[in-house]
Amino acid sequence: MPTSPLPRKRSRSLAHDVVAELSARIRDGRIKPGDKLPTESAIMTEQGVSRTVVREAISRLQAAGLVETRHGIGTFVLDTPKDGPFRIDPATIVTLRDVLAVLELRISLEVESAGLAAQRRSPEQLQGLRDALDALEESQANGRDAVASDFQFHLRIAEATGNRYFTDIMSHLGASIIPRTRLNSARLAHDDQSHYLARVNREHEDIFDAIARGDTDAARAAMRLHLTNSRERLRRAHESAEEKLG
């Protein structure tokens, strides 16, 4: 018997609701490792949401390492340890305050990561950074979701440190650490989208250039500036929103 769409309450994030529901099914074994998730259409009907919401939810599950999507086949649950290493559940990063807190964590982690990458990166790793930046800018130019490429750039910096623990932490954090997975950053910063992306891209290029030169201090400074700028843009927006509510 077909399932009728469920009426939905207003929510901070419909995608968060879908993530929470699918995550619960995975945790309690209703959907087991190796099982295929319901199709996008089935989730849309069951949860009463749009295809865009379903795709955002699946993207969050991928960032959490819970599922993988196989092109042309479907999305499958991964076999992950129930009590594995440290992880931030992307389903819990739903408010601007949450994103600011994650940015503070990233500053403490990634500033040193950039400095070590400048000291230790190989030519192949430098090319990987260049490829990630090119993919990021291409996605933005074509209006596609650039979050995966953005995350890959930061992950490859961690890999270039030669210290697997930096890579492990970044991998466990996943793409949920990129603010655009949660928020329209340009809108909140009261900025034109093209200007916003141009500035962020310049910040990325400065990080890359410092790592390419092997300039440890400049790499740390460029990463700190990039993440601090992200935090402060969002903090100003947060304060403005609270003033309006107050």
Side-chain angles (χ1 to χ4, degrees), residues 6-148:
L6 298 175
R8 299 302 300 254
K9 297 179 181 179
R10 296 184 65 84
S11 170
R12 289 177 302 180
S13 169
L14 291 176
H16 170 246
D17 293 346
V18 177
V19 169
E21 172 60 26
L22 293 176
S23 296
R25 294 183 193 179
I26 292 170
R27 284 194 303 271
D28 65 21
R30 281 178 285 165
I31 308 178
K32 296 179 174 58
D35 284 355
K36 184 177 177 181
L37 287 186
T39 64
E40 289 182 358
S41 296
I43 297 172
M44 288 165 59
T45 299
E46 178 186 330
Q47 299 295 319
V49 296
S50 69
R51 191 175 300 277
T52 298
V53 169
V54 173
R55 288 179 175 174
E56 167 65 11
I58 290 174
S59 177
R60 295 188 191 187
L61 291 171
Q62 290 172 332
L66 294 176
V67 303
E68 68 174 1
T69 297
R70 302 170 191 168
H71 184 66
I73 302 176
T75 300
F76 295 82
V77 176
L78 293 173
D79 187 5
T80 55
K82 294 185 181 299
D83 297 314
F86 170 75
R87 180 184 299 279
I88 291 180
D89 183 353
T92 68
I93 309 174
V94 295
T95 69
L96 189 52
R97 194 181 298 275
D98 295 333
V99 175
L100 289 171
V102 171
L103 278 168
E104 288 180 355
L105 173 64
R106 290 182 62 194
I107 289 170
S108 65
L109 173 70
E110 293 193 67
V111 167
E112 184 61 20
S113 179
L116 291 173
Q119 289 179 349
R120 302 172 178 174
R121 58 84 182 166
S122 67
E124 293 76 18
Q125 288 168 332
L126 185 64
Q127 184 58 53
L129 285 171
R130 182 69 263 167
D131 292 343
L133 273 189
D134 290 345
L136 171 58
E137 292 171 8
E138 181 183 356
S139 295
Q140 292 169 345
N142 294 323
R144 299 197 304 268
D145 185 0
V147 168

